[in-house]
Amino acid sequence: MTSLEPRLTELAHGGGCGCKLAPSVLQRLLANQPAMQPFSQLLVGNEMADDAAVWQVDDHTCIIATTDFFMPVVDDPLDFGRIAATNAISDIYAMGGKPILALAILGMPINKLSPETIGKILEGGASICAQAGIPVAGGHSIDSVEPIYGLAVIGICRPEQVRRNSGAKPGDALILTKGLGVGIYSSAFKKTALPRACYEEMIASTTLLNRIGSELAADPHVHALTDVTGFGILGHGLEMARASGLTVSLSLANIPFLSQAETLAREGFITGASERNWASYGGEVKLPDGMADWQRLLLADPQTSGGLLVACDAASADSLLKTIRDAGYPLASIVGYTQPGPVQVEVRA
């Protein structure tokens, strides 16, 4: 960015996956959408809030399609492009697939940002696509009031490797592959209160591709996958609970966080999206007595380019956790389990 340009985050009313509509609003918008039954090859649509659509082409091949875009969560245009691309590609991995190509989605206030800055955003996205081994094969751009960038991504997988959020079974262990706290960090960043080391930690997490999802989907002991993004671990855990018809039980002591997330949350660096998330689904979450507000809102914290939530056979959890950590996800942890019971998320101290 040139010295005369505004900060990217100053041009946006929200940032990253914190821009997502609240879960309750999204449910109302989708309530009257037409049913998908006439399309027998559509294995996954929007009926269970899965991460991407899946279309079965033949006995051996499924096409996975998704799109994701948002406003800046950071000011560096290269980093913004990298984060947005990593986040968009994650939906393919969360369904158990491998990405094959992407299309860019770009909306920019061209009277406020230079072509060089906008080009850096595109360059960042393309660099992540190159890491994923896919081309940016085209896209679409508009002149918009706020800066917006993301991708539409196409992937493939075998039918038996599709992993939905509805496949969790009672007694499954739950593994989270990345630490929480991106929304807290981004809130501190916008207020120029995030230490440089924490910024680098946030970038490392949000640009880490969830490619482990493709490997996990090939393991029959892995029953369900979803990525933890804008609705926080409570919201995406609740989506898994609803889709699978069970209780998701989380252990607060075992949930991994970015190094300063709890400290910054105590200091009040909470996003508005955390409050909206809780207002949408708090009635279906059971918390331990005496939990502080900052802890509750940290669990509702929107994660931009967050990790995967994995439901797997409990006997295989330790082995799978080692596989995940060895693949480059050092904060991956077993965070809870599923159990028969009411559709809810239960948090244990």
mmCIF file of all heavy atoms in Angstrom, residues 180-191 193-194 202 257-258 260-271 274 294 297-303:
data_model
loop_
_atom_site.group_PDB
_atom_site.id
_atom_site.type_symbol
_atom_site.label_atom_id
_atom_site.label_comp_id
_atom_site.label_asym_id
_atom_site.label_seq_id
_atom_site.Cartn_x
_atom_site.Cartn_y
_atom_site.Cartn_z
ATOM 1 N N LEU A 180 -7.871 -21.632 18.373
ATOM 2 C CA LEU A 180 -8.907 -20.608 18.249
ATOM 3 C C LEU A 180 -8.366 -19.245 18.677
ATOM 4 O O LEU A 180 -7.397 -19.150 19.422
ATOM 5 C CB LEU A 180 -10.104 -20.969 19.119
ATOM 6 C CG LEU A 180 -10.776 -22.324 18.887
ATOM 7 C CD1 LEU A 180 -11.934 -22.504 19.866
ATOM 8 C CD2 LEU A 180 -11.256 -22.451 17.451
ATOM 9 N N GLY A 181 -9.065 -18.201 18.223
ATOM 10 C CA GLY A 181 -8.716 -16.851 18.660
ATOM 11 C C GLY A 181 -8.451 -15.869 17.548
ATOM 12 O O GLY A 181 -8.046 -14.733 17.811
ATOM 13 N N VAL A 182 -8.693 -16.267 16.298
ATOM 14 C CA VAL A 182 -8.399 -15.363 15.171
ATOM 15 C C VAL A 182 -9.244 -14.095 15.246
ATOM 16 O O VAL A 182 -8.756 -12.991 14.973
ATOM 17 C CB VAL A 182 -8.623 -16.083 13.826
ATOM 18 C CG1 VAL A 182 -8.449 -15.114 12.656
ATOM 19 C CG2 VAL A 182 -7.661 -17.252 13.677
ATOM 20 N N GLY A 183 -10.532 -14.231 15.632
ATOM 21 C CA GLY A 183 -11.369 -13.047 15.744
ATOM 22 C C GLY A 183 -10.870 -12.096 16.813
ATOM 23 O O GLY A 183 -10.878 -10.867 16.628
ATOM 24 N N ILE A 184 -10.419 -12.646 17.940
ATOM 25 C CA ILE A 184 -9.851 -11.839 19.020
ATOM 26 C C ILE A 184 -8.614 -11.100 18.519
ATOM 27 O O ILE A 184 -8.452 -9.889 18.748
ATOM 28 C CB ILE A 184 -9.474 -12.740 20.208
ATOM 29 C CG1 ILE A 184 -10.687 -13.499 20.737
ATOM 30 C CG2 ILE A 184 -8.794 -11.935 21.301
ATOM 31 C CD1 ILE A 184 -11.733 -12.655 21.376
ATOM 32 N N TYR A 185 -7.739 -11.806 17.823
ATOM 33 C CA TYR A 185 -6.523 -11.190 17.294
ATOM 34 C C TYR A 185 -6.869 -10.089 16.282
ATOM 35 O O TYR A 185 -6.249 -9.028 16.280
ATOM 36 C CB TYR A 185 -5.639 -12.248 16.630
ATOM 37 C CG TYR A 185 -4.698 -12.969 17.551
ATOM 38 C CD1 TYR A 185 -5.066 -13.284 18.859
ATOM 39 C CD2 TYR A 185 -3.432 -13.364 17.127
ATOM 40 C CE1 TYR A 185 -4.199 -13.964 19.701
ATOM 41 C CE2 TYR A 185 -2.560 -14.037 17.964
ATOM 42 C CZ TYR A 185 -2.941 -14.332 19.250
ATOM 43 O OH TYR A 185 -2.077 -14.993 20.087
ATOM 44 N N SER A 186 -7.846 -10.359 15.420
ATOM 45 C CA SER A 186 -8.184 -9.359 14.408
ATOM 46 C C SER A 186 -8.791 -8.115 15.045
ATOM 47 O O SER A 186 -8.567 -6.995 14.578
ATOM 48 C CB SER A 186 -9.136 -9.954 13.362
ATOM 49 O OG SER A 186 -10.383 -10.297 13.945
ATOM 50 N N SER A 187 -9.559 -8.300 16.128
ATOM 51 C CA SER A 187 -10.112 -7.154 16.845
ATOM 52 C C SER A 187 -8.996 -6.307 17.436
ATOM 53 O O SER A 187 -9.013 -5.069 17.343
ATOM 54 C CB SER A 187 -11.054 -7.643 17.950
ATOM 55 O OG SER A 187 -11.565 -6.561 18.700
ATOM 56 N N ALA A 188 -8.017 -6.954 18.040
ATOM 57 C CA ALA A 188 -6.876 -6.224 18.589
ATOM 58 C C ALA A 188 -6.072 -5.548 17.483
ATOM 59 O O ALA A 188 -5.592 -4.417 17.643
ATOM 60 C CB ALA A 188 -5.987 -7.175 19.389
ATOM 61 N N PHE A 189 -5.958 -6.218 16.341
ATOM 62 C CA PHE A 189 -5.214 -5.640 15.217
ATOM 63 C C PHE A 189 -5.861 -4.342 14.737
ATOM 64 O O PHE A 189 -5.173 -3.340 14.498
ATOM 65 C CB PHE A 189 -5.127 -6.647 14.073
ATOM 66 C CG PHE A 189 -4.477 -6.093 12.833
ATOM 67 C CD1 PHE A 189 -3.105 -6.018 12.730
ATOM 68 C CD2 PHE A 189 -5.245 -5.620 11.775
ATOM 69 C CE1 PHE A 189 -2.502 -5.483 11.596
ATOM 70 C CE2 PHE A 189 -4.654 -5.088 10.641
ATOM 71 C CZ PHE A 189 -3.277 -5.023 10.559
ATOM 72 N N LYS A 190 -7.180 -4.351 14.581
ATOM 73 C CA LYS A 190 -7.871 -3.158 14.088
ATOM 74 C C LYS A 190 -7.699 -1.981 15.038
ATOM 75 O O LYS A 190 -7.758 -0.827 14.625
ATOM 76 C CB LYS A 190 -9.358 -3.452 13.877
ATOM 77 C CG LYS A 190 -9.640 -4.385 12.706
ATOM 78 C CD LYS A 190 -11.111 -4.469 12.377
ATOM 79 C CE LYS A 190 -11.588 -3.213 11.678
ATOM 80 N NZ LYS A 190 -12.962 -3.356 11.142
ATOM 81 N N LYS A 191 -7.466 -2.279 16.318
ATOM 82 C CA LYS A 191 -7.267 -1.226 17.315
ATOM 83 C C LYS A 191 -5.785 -0.972 17.571
ATOM 84 O O LYS A 191 -5.430 -0.346 18.573
ATOM 85 C CB LYS A 191 -7.990 -1.601 18.602
ATOM 86 C CG LYS A 191 -9.508 -1.713 18.411
ATOM 87 C CD LYS A 191 -10.204 -2.272 19.640
ATOM 88 C CE LYS A 191 -11.704 -2.436 19.385
ATOM 89 N NZ LYS A 191 -12.403 -3.069 20.525
ATOM 90 N N ALA A 193 -3.495 -2.853 18.638
ATOM 91 C CA ALA A 193 -3.070 -3.356 19.940
ATOM 92 C C ALA A 193 -2.521 -4.779 19.858
ATOM 93 O O ALA A 193 -2.292 -5.407 20.896
ATOM 94 C CB ALA A 193 -4.232 -3.308 20.927
ATOM 95 N N LEU A 194 -2.325 -5.299 18.636
ATOM 96 C CA LEU A 194 -1.839 -6.666 18.485
ATOM 97 C C LEU A 194 -0.317 -6.657 18.331
ATOM 98 O O LEU A 194 0.218 -6.056 17.393
ATOM 99 C CB LEU A 194 -2.474 -7.329 17.260
ATOM 100 C CG LEU A 194 -2.176 -8.823 17.087
ATOM 101 C CD1 LEU A 194 -2.877 -9.645 18.172
ATOM 102 C CD2 LEU A 194 -2.598 -9.315 15.693
ATOM 103 N N MET A 202 -0.936 -15.219 13.834
ATOM 104 C CA MET A 202 -2.231 -15.237 13.167
ATOM 105 C C MET A 202 -2.080 -15.530 11.679
ATOM 106 O O MET A 202 -2.839 -16.335 11.115
ATOM 107 C CB MET A 202 -2.940 -13.891 13.361
ATOM 108 C CG MET A 202 -4.296 -13.805 12.675
ATOM 109 S SD MET A 202 -5.185 -12.260 13.015
ATOM 110 C CE MET A 202 -4.191 -11.080 12.088
ATOM 111 N N PHE A 257 -5.844 -22.721 21.917
ATOM 112 C CA PHE A 257 -6.016 -21.317 21.572
ATOM 113 C C PHE A 257 -4.693 -20.742 21.077
ATOM 114 O O PHE A 257 -3.615 -21.232 21.441
ATOM 115 C CB PHE A 257 -6.486 -20.508 22.792
ATOM 116 C CG PHE A 257 -7.845 -20.885 23.297
ATOM 117 C CD1 PHE A 257 -7.988 -21.727 24.389
ATOM 118 C CD2 PHE A 257 -8.990 -20.422 22.668
ATOM 119 C CE1 PHE A 257 -9.248 -22.088 24.852
ATOM 120 C CE2 PHE A 257 -10.249 -20.777 23.113
ATOM 121 C CZ PHE A 257 -10.379 -21.610 24.210
ATOM 122 N N LEU A 258 -4.772 -19.718 20.249
ATOM 123 C CA LEU A 258 -3.572 -18.967 19.919
ATOM 124 C C LEU A 258 -2.987 -18.393 21.209
ATOM 125 O O LEU A 258 -3.703 -18.178 22.197
ATOM 126 C CB LEU A 258 -3.911 -17.848 18.930
ATOM 127 C CG LEU A 258 -4.501 -18.305 17.583
ATOM 128 C CD1 LEU A 258 -4.794 -17.105 16.692
ATOM 129 C CD2 LEU A 258 -3.591 -19.292 16.870
ATOM 130 N N GLN A 260 -2.025 -15.727 22.773
ATOM 131 C CA GLN A 260 -2.505 -14.600 23.572
ATOM 132 C C GLN A 260 -4.016 -14.404 23.477
ATOM 133 O O GLN A 260 -4.529 -13.360 23.884
ATOM 134 C CB GLN A 260 -1.788 -13.312 23.140
ATOM 135 C CG GLN A 260 -0.290 -13.340 23.334
ATOM 136 C CD GLN A 260 0.095 -13.590 24.785
ATOM 137 O OE1 GLN A 260 -0.399 -12.910 25.689
ATOM 138 N NE2 GLN A 260 0.971 -14.559 25.012
ATOM 139 N N ALA A 261 -4.735 -15.393 22.958
ATOM 140 C CA ALA A 261 -6.170 -15.228 22.751
ATOM 141 C C ALA A 261 -6.908 -15.013 24.065
ATOM 142 O O ALA A 261 -7.783 -14.137 24.171
ATOM 143 C CB ALA A 261 -6.735 -16.439 22.015
ATOM 144 N N GLU A 262 -6.588 -15.799 25.070
ATOM 145 C CA GLU A 262 -7.285 -15.661 26.341
ATOM 146 C C GLU A 262 -6.959 -14.335 27.016
ATOM 147 O O GLU A 262 -7.850 -13.664 27.562
ATOM 148 C CB GLU A 262 -6.943 -16.843 27.246
ATOM 149 C CG GLU A 262 -7.487 -18.169 26.707
ATOM 150 C CD GLU A 262 -7.043 -19.353 27.529
ATOM 151 O OE1 GLU A 262 -5.871 -19.752 27.397
ATOM 152 O OE2 GLU A 262 -7.864 -19.877 28.292
ATOM 153 N N THR A 263 -5.703 -13.920 26.958
ATOM 154 C CA THR A 263 -5.313 -12.634 27.547
ATOM 155 C C THR A 263 -6.029 -11.475 26.866
ATOM 156 O O THR A 263 -6.577 -10.580 27.529
ATOM 157 C CB THR A 263 -3.789 -12.445 27.433
ATOM 158 O OG1 THR A 263 -3.131 -13.470 28.169
ATOM 159 C CG2 THR A 263 -3.366 -11.081 27.966
ATOM 160 N N LEU A 264 -6.056 -11.481 25.545
ATOM 161 C CA LEU A 264 -6.705 -10.395 24.805
ATOM 162 C C LEU A 264 -8.219 -10.416 25.004
ATOM 163 O O LEU A 264 -8.859 -9.358 25.067
ATOM 164 C CB LEU A 264 -6.355 -10.497 23.322
ATOM 165 C CG LEU A 264 -4.899 -10.180 22.971
ATOM 166 C CD1 LEU A 264 -4.588 -10.587 21.533
ATOM 167 C CD2 LEU A 264 -4.598 -8.698 23.174
ATOM 168 N N ALA A 265 -8.805 -11.607 25.128
ATOM 169 C CA ALA A 265 -10.241 -11.693 25.382
ATOM 170 C C ALA A 265 -10.576 -11.092 26.743
ATOM 171 O O ALA A 265 -11.571 -10.369 26.896
ATOM 172 C CB ALA A 265 -10.706 -13.144 25.314
ATOM 173 N N ARG A 266 -9.751 -11.381 27.742
ATOM 174 C CA ARG A 266 -9.953 -10.791 29.070
ATOM 175 C C ARG A 266 -9.878 -9.262 29.016
ATOM 176 O O ARG A 266 -10.555 -8.568 29.775
ATOM 177 C CB ARG A 266 -8.878 -11.296 30.034
ATOM 178 C CG ARG A 266 -9.125 -12.670 30.604
ATOM 179 C CD ARG A 266 -8.193 -12.899 31.783
ATOM 180 N NE ARG A 266 -8.325 -14.232 32.343
ATOM 181 C CZ ARG A 266 -7.515 -15.240 32.077
ATOM 182 N NH1 ARG A 266 -6.521 -15.077 31.217
ATOM 183 N NH2 ARG A 266 -7.699 -16.414 32.646
ATOM 184 N N GLU A 267 -9.055 -8.753 28.110
ATOM 185 C CA GLU A 267 -8.870 -7.306 27.992
ATOM 186 C C GLU A 267 -9.958 -6.634 27.169
ATOM 187 O O GLU A 267 -9.949 -5.415 27.004
ATOM 188 C CB GLU A 267 -7.493 -7.003 27.392
ATOM 189 C CG GLU A 267 -6.334 -7.405 28.313
ATOM 190 C CD GLU A 267 -4.974 -7.247 27.649
ATOM 191 O OE1 GLU A 267 -4.925 -6.865 26.449
ATOM 192 O OE2 GLU A 267 -3.959 -7.516 28.322
ATOM 193 N N GLY A 268 -10.891 -7.440 26.637
ATOM 194 C CA GLY A 268 -12.046 -6.868 25.969
ATOM 195 C C GLY A 268 -11.990 -6.809 24.461
ATOM 196 O O GLY A 268 -12.853 -6.183 23.831
ATOM 197 N N PHE A 269 -11.017 -7.476 23.834
ATOM 198 C CA PHE A 269 -10.912 -7.446 22.375
ATOM 199 C C PHE A 269 -11.833 -8.524 21.773
ATOM 200 O O PHE A 269 -11.384 -9.536 21.238
ATOM 201 C CB PHE A 269 -9.464 -7.642 21.934
ATOM 202 C CG PHE A 269 -8.576 -6.497 22.313
ATOM 203 C CD1 PHE A 269 -7.732 -6.585 23.407
ATOM 204 C CD2 PHE A 269 -8.615 -5.312 21.590
ATOM 205 C CE1 PHE A 269 -6.913 -5.523 23.763
ATOM 206 C CE2 PHE A 269 -7.807 -4.241 21.947
ATOM 207 C CZ PHE A 269 -6.956 -4.339 23.038
ATOM 208 N N ILE A 270 -13.126 -8.264 21.886
ATOM 209 C CA ILE A 270 -14.157 -9.192 21.443
ATOM 210 C C ILE A 270 -14.821 -8.620 20.197
ATOM 211 O O ILE A 270 -15.099 -7.417 20.120
ATOM 212 C CB ILE A 270 -15.225 -9.399 22.539
ATOM 213 C CG1 ILE A 270 -14.580 -9.899 23.836
ATOM 214 C CG2 ILE A 270 -16.317 -10.339 22.062
ATOM 215 C CD1 ILE A 270 -14.013 -11.285 23.763
ATOM 216 N N THR A 271 -15.093 -9.441 19.215
ATOM 217 C CA THR A 271 -15.754 -8.970 17.994
ATOM 218 C C THR A 271 -17.264 -8.904 18.185
ATOM 219 O O THR A 271 -17.841 -9.652 18.983
ATOM 220 C CB THR A 271 -15.454 -9.909 16.808
ATOM 221 O OG1 THR A 271 -16.102 -11.159 17.036
ATOM 222 C CG2 THR A 271 -13.964 -10.137 16.637
ATOM 223 N N SER A 274 -19.006 -12.265 17.639
ATOM 224 C CA SER A 274 -19.127 -13.202 18.751
ATOM 225 C C SER A 274 -20.465 -13.033 19.453
ATOM 226 O O SER A 274 -21.140 -14.019 19.790
ATOM 227 C CB SER A 274 -17.985 -12.987 19.757
ATOM 228 O OG SER A 274 -16.732 -13.252 19.188
ATOM 229 N N TRP A 294 -16.074 -13.571 28.963
ATOM 230 C CA TRP A 294 -15.007 -13.553 27.974
ATOM 231 C C TRP A 294 -14.706 -14.968 27.479
ATOM 232 O O TRP A 294 -14.366 -15.154 26.307
ATOM 233 C CB TRP A 294 -13.747 -12.896 28.518
ATOM 234 C CG TRP A 294 -13.046 -13.640 29.627
ATOM 235 C CD1 TRP A 294 -13.191 -13.446 30.967
ATOM 236 C CD2 TRP A 294 -12.086 -14.706 29.477
ATOM 237 N NE1 TRP A 294 -12.396 -14.312 31.680
ATOM 238 C CE2 TRP A 294 -11.697 -15.092 30.784
ATOM 239 C CE3 TRP A 294 -11.520 -15.356 28.391
ATOM 240 C CZ2 TRP A 294 -10.771 -16.109 31.028
ATOM 241 C CZ3 TRP A 294 -10.596 -16.371 28.626
ATOM 242 C CH2 TRP A 294 -10.229 -16.728 29.923
ATOM 243 N N LEU A 297 -17.606 -15.915 25.026
ATOM 244 C CA LEU A 297 -17.470 -15.233 23.737
ATOM 245 C C LEU A 297 -16.239 -15.700 22.963
ATOM 246 O O LEU A 297 -16.218 -15.650 21.736
ATOM 247 C CB LEU A 297 -17.437 -13.716 23.954
ATOM 248 C CG LEU A 297 -18.758 -13.144 24.476
ATOM 249 C CD1 LEU A 297 -18.602 -11.674 24.846
ATOM 250 C CD2 LEU A 297 -19.874 -13.322 23.456
ATOM 251 N N LEU A 298 -15.244 -16.186 23.670
ATOM 252 C CA LEU A 298 -14.085 -16.755 22.984
ATOM 253 C C LEU A 298 -14.473 -18.026 22.238
ATOM 254 O O LEU A 298 -13.973 -18.299 21.140
ATOM 255 C CB LEU A 298 -12.977 -17.045 23.997
ATOM 256 C CG LEU A 298 -11.628 -17.537 23.489
ATOM 257 C CD1 LEU A 298 -11.084 -16.639 22.384
ATOM 258 C CD2 LEU A 298 -10.631 -17.625 24.631
ATOM 259 N N LEU A 299 -15.398 -18.807 22.806
ATOM 260 C CA LEU A 299 -15.855 -20.019 22.125
ATOM 261 C C LEU A 299 -16.799 -19.701 20.969
ATOM 262 O O LEU A 299 -17.005 -20.539 20.089
ATOM 263 C CB LEU A 299 -16.545 -20.950 23.123
ATOM 264 C CG LEU A 299 -15.659 -21.507 24.239
ATOM 265 C CD1 LEU A 299 -16.462 -22.405 25.164
ATOM 266 C CD2 LEU A 299 -14.467 -22.260 23.671
ATOM 267 N N ALA A 300 -17.389 -18.495 20.982
ATOM 268 C CA ALA A 300 -18.217 -18.049 19.858
ATOM 269 C C ALA A 300 -17.422 -17.198 18.874
ATOM 270 O O ALA A 300 -17.981 -16.708 17.886
ATOM 271 C CB ALA A 300 -19.418 -17.257 20.382
ATOM 272 N N ASP A 301 -16.133 -17.038 19.122
ATOM 273 C CA ASP A 301 -15.264 -16.182 18.313
ATOM 274 C C ASP A 301 -15.212 -16.657 16.861
ATOM 275 O O ASP A 301 -14.966 -17.841 16.599
ATOM 276 C CB ASP A 301 -13.852 -16.225 18.914
ATOM 277 C CG ASP A 301 -12.894 -15.267 18.238
ATOM 278 O OD1 ASP A 301 -13.215 -14.072 18.145
ATOM 279 O OD2 ASP A 301 -11.816 -15.722 17.790
ATOM 280 N N PRO A 302 -15.474 -15.763 15.896
ATOM 281 C CA PRO A 302 -15.407 -16.163 14.489
ATOM 282 C C PRO A 302 -13.975 -16.449 14.066
ATOM 283 O O PRO A 302 -13.071 -15.641 14.290
ATOM 284 C CB PRO A 302 -15.974 -14.949 13.746
ATOM 285 C CG PRO A 302 -15.688 -13.788 14.653
ATOM 286 C CD PRO A 302 -15.817 -14.330 16.046
ATOM 287 N N GLN A 303 -13.788 -17.592 13.453
ATOM 288 C CA GLN A 303 -12.461 -17.990 12.996
ATOM 289 C C GLN A 303 -12.345 -17.774 11.493
ATOM 290 O O GLN A 303 -13.078 -18.399 10.728
ATOM 291 C CB GLN A 303 -12.201 -19.457 13.334
ATOM 292 C CG GLN A 303 -12.305 -19.784 14.803
ATOM 293 C CD GLN A 303 -11.441 -18.903 15.656
ATOM 294 O OE1 GLN A 303 -10.216 -18.963 15.602
ATOM 295 N NE2 GLN A 303 -12.066 -18.047 16.456
#
